[in-house]
Amino acid sequence: MRAARLIKMVLLLQARPAMTAAELAAELEVSERTVTRDAQALSDAGVPVYAERGRAGGYRLVGGYRTRLTGLARDEAEALFLSGLPAALREMGLEDAASAARLKVSAALMPSLRDASSSAARRFHLDAPSWYHEPETPELLPAIADAVWDDRLLRVRYRRGGGRDHTEAEVARELAPYGLVLKAGIWYLCARAGEDFRVYRIDRFTAVEAAQERFERDEGFDLPGFWTERADAFARSLLRTEVTVRVSERGGRMLAYAGDRAAAAAALAAASEPGPDGWRTLTLPVESLDVAYGQLLALGPELEVLAPEELRARFTEAAERLRELYR
């Protein structure tokens, strides 16, 4: 642990002209007294660390000293490619590896380029979770992430739901964990179970144990392509019924934000030509009549339900209740 901290201290001083004891303590997550002891240890080992006293003082490397300890370890190199996702790195337990990787890259760059990482960070930030959603880090995520990076088989227990009575059953599985996906603040594992590839919500795992043996990864497996295919199929599988509606021109634009965007686009593309009033009739796939009621009601007077009659009756009742409220 101390050796890694000393290397990190040298890299920090190599990447910047000078740093105060307080700045080093904050970066290394130690006390200023520990920084002083570490600086003395480096000096004793032949690393020319120079301490300047006074208000503008701090630590610096003397004489353009350059360390050769800039080679990236595998976990650092892998984490570097994820460095635009700080929250995801933290949740997977890779924050330290990414920090070390960035320092090593910074130390290897020419002085004129060393501010590139901070310059990019000031100009771009990825916020993965959706609005009004407070993400929770699954407790077992770091252990699963370790197995993914190391190609180790996982023995898991998983809460499987979705029965007609909405009950959940806990099942045991042995999985070959191929990849992790963070979608709208929710973590998923793409894994091979037997001969099939499947998707699991990580917050549904109740226990995981990494096996000693590794699995042989199928090098033809394309994680982004697999996820896109499964996500599209899942979205389509939810749309089990249809409703017929009329929408105004404005309602047609709003439809994409009221439910499944792809289904709305396809329905609008296949809709009838607008009438003299600009309204069009279309058939829209929906998850259920209850879900359609909540989604389509948001369009207010820009949409009229034509069928089924059960849903039209609910909209009629809602309109009458609104009329009473605003009379």
Side-chain angles (χ1 to χ4, degrees), residues 90-93 137-147 149:
R90 184 170 56 253
E91 292 176 8
M92 286 190 290
T137 303
E139 182 180 349
L140 298 175
L141 175 60
I144 295 172
D146 284 345
W149 292 118

Side-chain angles (χ1 to χ4, degrees), residues 21-99:
E23 289 170 338
L24 283 168
E27 289 280 357
L28 300 172
E29 298 182 348
V30 295
S31 67
E32 293 186 31
R33 180 173 295 182
T34 299
V35 168
T36 301
R37 288 198 298 264
D38 285 352
Q40 183 61 51
L42 287 171
S43 181
D44 292 343
V47 178
V49 177
Y50 176 70
E52 291 183 332
R53 300 186 181 278
R55 181 177 296 179
Y59 293 91
R60 68 178 70 246
L61 292 175
V62 179
Y65 176 84
R66 307 278 301 173
T67 177
R68 295 182 181 274
L69 298 173
T70 53
L72 293 180
R74 171 171 287 277
D75 64 339
E76 295 169 349
E78 291 168 336
L80 185 61
F81 287 100
L82 296 172
S83 59
L85 303 168
L89 282 167
R90 184 170 56 253
E91 292 176 8
M92 286 190 290
L94 293 173
E95 189 173 28
D96 288 342
S99 174

Side-chain angles (χ1 to χ4, degrees), residues 137-293:
T137 303
E139 182 180 349
L140 298 175
L141 175 60
I144 295 172
D146 284 345
V148 169
W149 292 118
D150 210 22
D151 290 345
R152 290 194 182 275
L153 290 170
L154 275 177
R155 297 185 181 96
V156 306
R157 296 196 67 81
Y158 184 78
R159 288 183 292 107
R160 185 176 63 184
R164 289 184 178 276
D165 57 356
H166 303 290
T167 58
E168 293 183 338
E170 191 171 273
V171 296
R173 291 283 187 269
E174 183 174 85
L175 304 176
Y178 268 65
L180 295 165
V181 174
L182 177 60
K183 169 71 172 179
I186 299 175
W187 283 96
Y188 297 88
L189 173 68
C190 300
R192 191 179 69 219
E195 298 300 319
D196 299 326
F197 283 95
R198 299 180 182 178
V199 177
Y200 300 86
R201 270 186 65 144
I202 288 183
D203 58 8
R204 286 183 169 269
F205 286 107
T206 59
V208 300
E209 179 187 358
Q212 290 299 316
E213 61 267 34
R214 290 182 169 86
F215 65 91
E216 186 174 346
R217 179 176 287 268
D218 179 359
E219 295 303 328
F221 178 77
D222 173 23
L223 179 60
F226 171 78
W227 174 259
T228 298
E229 179 184 333
R230 287 303 174 93
D232 289 346
F234 176 73
R236 289 194 300 271
S237 73
L238 293 177
L239 307 179
R240 301 186 180 96
T241 189
E242 293 181 338
V243 298
T244 304
V245 299
R246 290 177 66 240
V247 292
S248 67
E249 182 180 353
R250 183 167 182 263
R253 294 194 300 270
M254 295 170 62
L255 200 58
Y257 302 98
D260 185 273
R261 186 182 296 268
L268 287 167
S272 63
E273 291 296 320
D277 57 359
W279 286 57
R280 292 192 288 174
T281 300
L282 55 92
T283 301
L284 181 68
V286 294
E287 184 175 342
S288 68
L289 295 186
D290 284 341
V291 172
Y293 175 76

